[in-house]
Every structure is written in structure tokens, then in C-alpha cells.
């Protein structure tokens, strides 16, 4: 894993990606810092981090577009997958290389709250805790998005396609909350939505095991449970779509971090999301080799 | 030692490779030949565990590669058709990376660089070196970690004649410590290197033997080509009465008043020295024997003949199947 990490991390600086990422990230953070903190005279630095969270839409596709797709396009994946290293270590090496670059960018931006310290009359007024929890939330959110980008880069060979699909997927995460509010909240729509999810799940199962009978029976059992629940416990379907989509919203949890609420549940959620994305990424690569 | 048993790879309904069975013994160089799309690279990719097989087994040193731990992949060095190179690295950086990836001793890197003449280009970016050099860097990465088995897919492609000779000598020298499975389109190179040839056509093995044995099987025993000076009719008439020699082919007017004849033993059960009989035949009939030499079949001819024969037999089988189907249909309609 160390070799992959080192290679990936250094490759960011062999081409211009690393320099472009860092300069762009620091420039935009500095811009928001100047507008929010310097010109408006606010001491709350966490607003800067909340505002620049949209930056992920641009920087994450830039960081992850080449991770697996370039290996596939240049056939260098033949070297990696035939080397005495497991696929999980390859994926983790690439993931941590991207994450480290994000961490370096974040560490450099620590200079901005440092500047704010010069303007503080009473040190107790300065919200260190909120800033640190915002940074942690920002880092974890970035980690989740990198995991999504890494997964998408293993699906396509063309980095431009990877970056567009990554952008689209991340954008979906950003609008998820707003989208959830607009969707119908009645019980029947929710049951229909869950039915659609069951269909997707069974289709994936069928593609995985190639046994139509088993996948069909599994589908019928789940639909049976869904119908029974709909008739006997209809209350659980109330605003169901909203509840499901909000559960997947990464940003609503980030708001907790920005508000200084450090919850173990949120940290655990982000870590689980990262592990889940890396897991399906590794599984996808294994499947593609079959 | 590599053992391949009933190996099949399907892409959807297409069978890229079907029921392959072969063995590559320790310290043996085996040439893997086939037309484009015959299934060579697919087979090599499966042996190196780059892709998995649909069915069958690949056993390396007694262990099924399905149960192989990642660390056990060290045993194989693989040079794919397109060397897996990172163009933004220098040769030295790339080889260092492969060393770390394979957890190999970096001390051996110096020897590999010298062996493959990479000293002069080791500080150059890979994207700036020639195709031949890229091929050599690719081979260098396969040799890192001193793997027991080497799988080389077209190692000679892109090399100039001088480099080809060097590569050939290098592969020959590797035989002492390595088991090598090599695929190539340059059949004359393979003929020089390989102890044994496996010919694959449309995903199936059509021949597995030493080059000499394959030639002998094709020519059905030894043949000698001789150049005789004399009247063509007289030579053929005299040959008709000869009890030992059979002319299987001839070419007239190769030189003034000369013809080339390909002889074989008329009665294979009777052991005779063909050269002696040809000399006696010329002497008895007052022909002048200008030249005689073994009539060999080149590897290209072997390859073409085997793959063509296979296609013809497949076509015949298809025709027979179609005829059977038609007959069945006719019978049904009669009923």
C-alpha cells in the first residue's frame, strides 16, 4: 500500500494536478476569508468552511478523475493487479493519496483562523472548538466525496467522463435535501419508491449471481413484506421518501459540525459511508476481472 | 511449473478460450503461438491472475491460483503485450516503484539495469524513450524480484534486429533459473528460443510439441531435397522403377538442365539412408547429383498448415452438421 500511496501522491506533483488543486483551494478559501471575515468584520471562521463546501464539486473530480481510469487506459492496471498486492491495498493507497492532498490543503488554510487571532481582543471570544469541528466535518465530507470519486473512476476509462459523472453525483448529494422536500410525501408514493428500490436491489442480485429464479423469489418475498407493511403498518410510510433521502444527505450532517455539534453518530456515519464506498469499489474491480 | 487444466474463458456467450490443457515444466521455454484473437493474451492474463477464468484450473507449483494469496503472486513476472509503464516517471523512478510494489530487494535492480542496457536511459522520462527501450523497461519490471516463472507476451515487438538478438540471448540465458512461457508473432525468434511450441487457434490448442517433431509430423517422416542434372523425362522414368525412393514433389528448370526433387522413403517400414539411395540412384542412371539436403518445414509453414487444417476440419464439421440437419428436416417433411 505504501508504494501505491507514494506513487499516487507524487504523481499529483509530477503533472500539474497537485499544484492546481492546492493553489485553487487556497485562493478560493482566502477569497471567502477576505469577504466574510476581513471585509465584513466577522470572527466566525466556520462560515468560510460552510461556504466553500461547494468547492468540492470542482476539486474532487480533479483529484479522483485519473485514479483508476488512467490505469485502465494505459493498461498499467496489469502491473498493479498482477503484483503481490491485494486490490483493497491498491484502492486504499490511492484513496489515502487523494485524502492526504486534501489534508495538506486544509492544513495550509489554518493560516486564516491564525490571522483572525490577531484581531481578537479576548481570546475566550474566539470559537476554537467550532472551527476545529468544522475542519473535522469538512475533512470527513471531503473523504466521503473522494471515496465516491474513486468508485466512479473505476467504472470508466475516460477521465473526462469520470469527472463529469463525479460532478453530477456530488451535485446530487448537494441538492438531495431540497429534492427530498419537493417529492411527494404520501404513503402510496413512498411504497412505490421502496418498491423501485427493491427492484433495483434484486436486479443487482440477479446480475451478481446470475440466477433468475433465486432473484425472482427474493424480489417476491420483499414485495410481499412491503405490501403487508403497507396494509398493516401504513404509518411507517408517512413522509417516507423524505426520510430515506435525508438519511443519505451528507451535507445535513456537515451542518452539525459547522454549528459546533460534534456527534459520534455523525462521525460514525461518515466513516461508514467511506468504508461502504471503498467496499463496493473493491468489489466492482474484482467483478470486472471475472 | 505451470499446469493448465480444462481452462475456459467466456465473454458473454463467446468463448475466448475453450478447454485448454497444457503443462510448462520447470526451466522450460514454451512458445505460445496463435493468430490475432486466437486467445493467447487471454490465456496469459488468466495465468497471471489479471483476469479470472470462467472454468478450469491453473496450478502453479502445485497450488491453484484461485487459492493464491496476493503475496504469492511474487512467483510470476509478467510482461504484457503493451508494457505497463507510467509515462510521467523516469526509468529509474519506475523501476524503484515496481521494486517497492513487489517488495523486492533494490540491490538486484542494478544488475537488471545493466543486463538490459538501461543505464544510459535510466534518468530519462519514459514518455521520451523509444519503443524498443520501453519494451526493455517492461521486461526489466517483469524480472524484478527474480520470479521463478516469466510470462512474456510479445517481448520482441518494437525491437530492432540488433536488440532482438540481444533479447533472444537474454531470454535464453534466463532459462537456467526461470520457467518461461512466451508468445510472439516472430516465429523465427520463437523457433530459436523455445523448447516446445503450443499452437492455439480460435481458443483451442491445435498443436503441442517440439518444433522438430511438429515439422516431422507434418512432413510424415524425413524428406530430402536433391538437385539432379539430366533429362526430366529420363529422371522421372528412372524414378518410377526405383524400389526405395518416392518423389513427393519436384521443381523443374531451377538451373539449366536441372531439377529439384523432394524424396521420401517409399517403404517407411524398411530403414534406409535416403542420402545413400539418392546418390546410388544418380550414379546408376548417370545423372549428376549437384546438391542434397534435408527438406525442412519452416515454423511459418507449420503454423499456417496447422491453423489452416484446423479451420478446414472445422468447416467440414460444420458442413456435415448442416447436412445432417438438412437430412433430418427432409426426413421430417417426408413423414
Amino acid at each position: 500500500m505504501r508504494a501505491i500511496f507514494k506513487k499516487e501522491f507524487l504523481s499529483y506533483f509530477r503533472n500539474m494536478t497537485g499544484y492546481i488543486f492546492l493553489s485553487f483551494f487556497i485562493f478560493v478559501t482566502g477569497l471567502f476569508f477576505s469577504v466574510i471575515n476581513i471585509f465584513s468584520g466577522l470572527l466566525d471562521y466556520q462560515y468560510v468552511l460552510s461556504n466553500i463546501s461547494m468547492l468540492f464539486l470542482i476539486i474532487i473530480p480533479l483529484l479522483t478523475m485519473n485514479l483508476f481510469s488512467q490505469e485502465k487506459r494505459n493498461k498499467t492496471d496489469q502491473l498493479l493487479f498482477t503484483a503481490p498486492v491485494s486490490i483493497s491495498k491498491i484502492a486504499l493507497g490511492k484513496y489515502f493519496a487523494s485524502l492526504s492532498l486534501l489534508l495538506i490543503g486544509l492544513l495550509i488554510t489554518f493560516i486564516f483562523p491564525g490571522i483572525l487571532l490577531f484581531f481578537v481582543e479576548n481570546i475566550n471570544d474566539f470559537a476554537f472548538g467550532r472551527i476545529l469541528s468544522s475542519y473535522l466535518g469538512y475533512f470527513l465530507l471531503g473523504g466521503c466525496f473522494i471515496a465516491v470519486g474513486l468508485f466512479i473512476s473505476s467504472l470508466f476509462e475516460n477521465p473526462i467522463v469520470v469527472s463529469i459523472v463525479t460532478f453530477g453525483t456530488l451535485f446530487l448529494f448537494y441538492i438531495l435535501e431540497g429534492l427530498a422536500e419537493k417529492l411527494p410525501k404520501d404513503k402510496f408514493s413512498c411504497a412505490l419508491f421502496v418498491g423501485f428500490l427493491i427492484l433495483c436491489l434484486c436486479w443487482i442480485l440477479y446480475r451478481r449471481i446470475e440466477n433468475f429464479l433465486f432473484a425472482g423469489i427474493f424480489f417476491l418475498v420483499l414485495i410481499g413484506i412491503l405490501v403487508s407493511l403497507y396494509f398493516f403498518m401504513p404509518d411507517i410510510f408517512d413522509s417516507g421518501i423524505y426520510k430515506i433521502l435525508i438519511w443519505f444527505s451528507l451535507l445535513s450532517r456537515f451542518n452539525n459540525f459547522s454549528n459546533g455539534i460534534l456527534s459520534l453518530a455523525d462521525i460514525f456515519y461518515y466513516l461508514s459511508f467511506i468504508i461502504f464506498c471503498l467496499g463496493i469499489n473493491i468489489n466492482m474491480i474484482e467483478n470486472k476481472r471475472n | 511449473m505451470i499446469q493448465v487444466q480444462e481452462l475456459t474463458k467466456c465473454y458473454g456467450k463467446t468463448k475466448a478460450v475453450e478447454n485448454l490443457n497444457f503443462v510448462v515444466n520447470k526451466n522450460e521455454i514454451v512458445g505460445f503461438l496463435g493468430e490475432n484473437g486466437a486467445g493467447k493474451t487471454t490465456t496469459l492474463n488468466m495465468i497471471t491472475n489479471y483476469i479470472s477464468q470462467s472454468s478450469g484450473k491453473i496450478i502453479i507449483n502445485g497450488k491453484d491460483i484461485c487459492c493464491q494469496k496476493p503475496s504469492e503472486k511474487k512467483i510470476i513476472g509478467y510482461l504484457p503485450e503493451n508494457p505497463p509503464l507510467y509515462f510521467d516517471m523516469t526509468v529509474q523512478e519506475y523501476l524503484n516503484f515496481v521494486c517497492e510494489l513487489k517488495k523486492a530487494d533494490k540491490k538486484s535492480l542494478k544488475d537488471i539495469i545493466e543486463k538490459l542496457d538501461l543505464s544510459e536511459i535510466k534518468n530519462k522520462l519514459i514518455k521520451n524513450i523509444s519503443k524498443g527501450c520501453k519494451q526493455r523497461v517492461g521486461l526489466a519490471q517483469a524480472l524484478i524480484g527474480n520470479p521463478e516463472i516469466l510470462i512474456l507476451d510479445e517481448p520482441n515487438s518494437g525491437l530492432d534486429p540488433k536488440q532482438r538478438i540481444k533479447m533472444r540471448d537474454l531470454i535464453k540465458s534466463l532459462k537456467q533459473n526461470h520457467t518461461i512461457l512466451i508468445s510472439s508473432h516472430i516465429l523465427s525468434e520463437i523457433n530459436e528460443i523455445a523448447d516446445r511450441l503450443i499452437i492455439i487457434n480460435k481458443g483451442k490448442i491445435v498443436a503441442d510439441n517440439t518444433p522438430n517433431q511438429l515439422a516431422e509430423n507434418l512432413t510424415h517422416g524425413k524428406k530430402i531435397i536433391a538437385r539432379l542434372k539430366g533429362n526430366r523425362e529420363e529422371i522421372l522414368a528412372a524414378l518410377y522403377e526405383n524400389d526405395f525412393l518416392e518423389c513427393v514433389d519436384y521443381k523443374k528448370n531451377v538451373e539449366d538442365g536441372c531439377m529439384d526433387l523432394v524424396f521420401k522413403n517409399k517403404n517407411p517400414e524398411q530403414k534406409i539412408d535416403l542420402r545413400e539411395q539418392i546418390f546410388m540412384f544418380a550414379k546408376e542412371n548417370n545423372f549428376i547429383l549437384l546438391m542434397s539436403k534435408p527438406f525442412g518445414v519452416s515454423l511459418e509453414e507449420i503454423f499456417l498448415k496447422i491453423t489452416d487444417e484446423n479451420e478446414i476440419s472445422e468447416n467440414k464439421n460444420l458442413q456435415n452438421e448442416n447436412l445432417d440437419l438438412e437430412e433430418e428436416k427432409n426426413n421430417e417433411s417426408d413423414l
Side-chain angles (χ1 to χ4, degrees), chain A residues 4-26 62-63 66-67 70 94 96-106 108, chain B residues 87-90 93 125 127:
Chain A
I4 302 278
F5 171 80
K6 205 169 126 189
K7 181 224 128 200
E8 284 301 331
F9 188 75
L10 291 177
S11 78
Y12 279 126
F13 296 97
R14 275 194 205 104
N15 51 49
M16 295 300 286
T17 316
Y19 298 109
I20 292 170
F21 164 76
L22 286 176
S23 49
F24 184 70
F25 184 68
I26 294 161
L62 182 77
L63 282 185
N66 280 328
L67 287 175
Q70 203 173 35
K94 284 175 179 288
F96 285 126
S98 292
L99 200 65
S100 304
L101 196 62
L102 177 70
L103 186 65
I104 288 172
L106 280 177
I108 294 171
Chain B
F87 295 122
D88 55 352
M89 286 183 180
T90 63
E93 280 171 344
L125 279 177
K127 67 178 170 189

Side-chain angles (χ1 to χ4, degrees), chain B residues 160-201:
Chain B
D160 61 43
K162 210 174 167 185
Q163 287 172 336
R164 242 181 235 175
I165 294 167
K166 270 191 178 179
M167 181 70 90
R168 190 174 64 202
D169 293 341
L170 177 73
I171 293 171
K172 270 184 184 174
S173 72
L174 291 171
K175 192 190 163 183
Q176 291 162 355
N177 303 314
H178 302 269
T179 303
I180 303 172
L181 181 60
I182 178 170
S183 95
S184 178
H185 279 125
I186 305 158
L187 301 180
S188 55
E189 294 288 328
I190 283 273
N191 204 14
E192 292 248 352
I193 301 170
D195 301 321
R196 189 154 58 86
L197 296 176
I198 295 172
I199 300 177
I200 179 173
N201 191 32

Side-chain angles (χ1 to χ4, degrees), chain B residues 193-254:
Chain B
I193 301 170
D195 301 321
R196 189 154 58 86
L197 296 176
I198 295 172
I199 300 177
I200 179 173
N201 191 32
K202 291 183 179 171
K204 290 175 184 172
I205 289 179
V206 287
D208 180 355
N209 222 324
T210 59
N212 291 339
Q213 197 59 48
L214 281 174
E216 210 164 306
N217 289 350
L218 276 180
T219 51
H220 307 291
K222 281 185 179 168
K223 287 176 186 172
I224 284 185
I225 183 165
R227 183 165 295 170
L228 294 175
K229 195 171 186 177
N231 184 281
R232 184 162 62 96
E233 277 80 30
E234 279 178 21
I235 293 173
L236 293 176
L239 202 58
Y240 188 71
E241 285 167 9
N242 192 291
D243 296 331
F244 303 105
L245 299 173
E246 187 185 333
C247 174
V248 287
D249 198 7
Y250 67 86
K251 214 186 254 181
K252 48 191 178 179
N253 300 330
V254 281

Side-chain angles (χ1 to χ4, degrees), chain A residues 6 71 77 81 289-290, chain B residues 49-50 52 73 80 86 100:
Chain A
K6 205 169 126 189
E71 304 276 5
D77 58 341
F81 296 150
R289 293 172 68 201
N290 289 341
Chain B
N49 215 348
Y50 174 59
S52 58
K73 288 184 187 172
Y86 294 102
E100 277 181 45

Side-chain angles (χ1 to χ4, degrees), chain A residues 2-4 6-7 11 14-15 71 74-86 289-290, chain B residues 9 45 48-52 70-71 73-74 80 84-86 88-89 93-94 97 100-103 141:
Chain A
R2 219 185 76 182
I4 302 278
K6 205 169 126 189
K7 181 224 128 200
S11 78
R14 275 194 205 104
N15 51 49
E71 304 276 5
N74 295 342
K75 305 265 179 199
T76 43
D77 58 341
Q78 286 185 314
L79 171 70
L80 302 183
F81 296 150
T82 58
V85 191
S86 65
R289 293 172 68 201
N290 289 341
Chain B
K9 177 72 185 175
N45 279 339
T48 54
N49 215 348
Y50 174 59
I51 54 170
S52 58
S71 60
K73 288 184 187 172
K74 262 184 184 179
L85 306 172
Y86 294 102
D88 55 352
M89 286 183 180
E93 280 171 344
Y94 173 73
F97 162 65
E100 277 181 45
L101 189 71
K102 293 185 175 179
K103 295 181 186 85
Q141 70 76 22

Side-chain angles (χ1 to χ4, degrees), chain A residues 137-157:
Chain A
Y138 196 78
F139 179 65
L140 288 172
L141 184 67
C144 290
F145 286 160
I146 289 173
V148 172
L150 184 72
F151 169 64
I152 293 168
S153 83
S154 69
L155 299 178
F156 306 99
E157 276 186 30

